[in-house]
Amino acid sequence: MIEGLVNGFFEAVVTIQVRDHEGREREIEAIIDTGYSGNLTLSPELVAELELPFVTRSRSALADGTSVAYDVYGATVVWDGNPRFIELDAIGVAPLLGMALMESYSLYVEVMEGGRVVIQPAETAPP
């Protein structure tokens, strides 16, 4: 189970660990974005700092219809206590946790400042 809180901007935030190129874990606070179908976004600056391996270049349409190009990198995250290799998008400033990373999990959010955020395997009942 992964737990977090709703911040003062009504964003559901959780902390996940991302491993750098030497395998050291770094805690990243990520905003859950149910409109993002990918795994995770990190800023290009943070990706460079972690020295993650480049995978490919991609292009996507944003909610406002704008098309953007960005680089995709490989990374290992610690997801629900287990290492998991993912591809992440180097775009934006604030880390976003997307729906692909939460596949087969359920998301529970108490929508109020300081409210609980819980991500757990889908077969488990909400807390």
Side-chain angles (χ1 to χ4, degrees):
M1 177 171 30
I2 299 162
E3 295 187 86
L5 294 172
V6 174
N7 67 19
F9 298 105
F10 293 99
E11 297 166 328
V13 179
V14 295
T15 301
I16 62 171
Q17 289 77 38
V18 178
R19 292 185 178 164
D20 69 11
H21 71 288
E22 294 180 346
R24 293 179 301 230
E25 293 178 7
R26 172 131 176 219
E27 287 193 346
I28 307 290
E29 282 195 351
I31 300 165
I32 296 172
D33 185 348
T34 60
Y36 169 51
S37 61
N39 288 302
L40 182 68
T41 70
L42 295 179
S43 69
E45 295 79 15
L46 183 53
V47 169
E49 186 179 315
L50 296 170
E51 298 182 45
L52 300 175
F54 175 80
V55 174
T56 190
R57 188 138 175 88
S58 190
R59 180 172 288 281
S60 290
L62 301 178
D64 67 0
T66 305
S67 180
V68 294
Y70 54 89
D71 293 332
V72 178
Y73 292 83
T76 298
V77 298
V78 178
W79 182 253
D80 199 15
N82 300 302
R84 184 172 176 185
F85 184 80
I86 64 166
E87 290 185 353
L88 62 81
D89 302 330
I91 190 169
V93 178
L96 301 176
L97 191 153
M99 295 299 283
L101 191 55
M102 294 187 291
E103 182 178 5
S104 298
Y105 278 72
S106 63
L107 172 64
Y108 172 80
V109 180
E110 294 173 344
V111 185
M112 64 182 91
E113 187 173 348
R116 284 182 69 206
V117 176
V118 178
I119 303 170
Q120 59 191 10
E123 64 274 3
T124 306

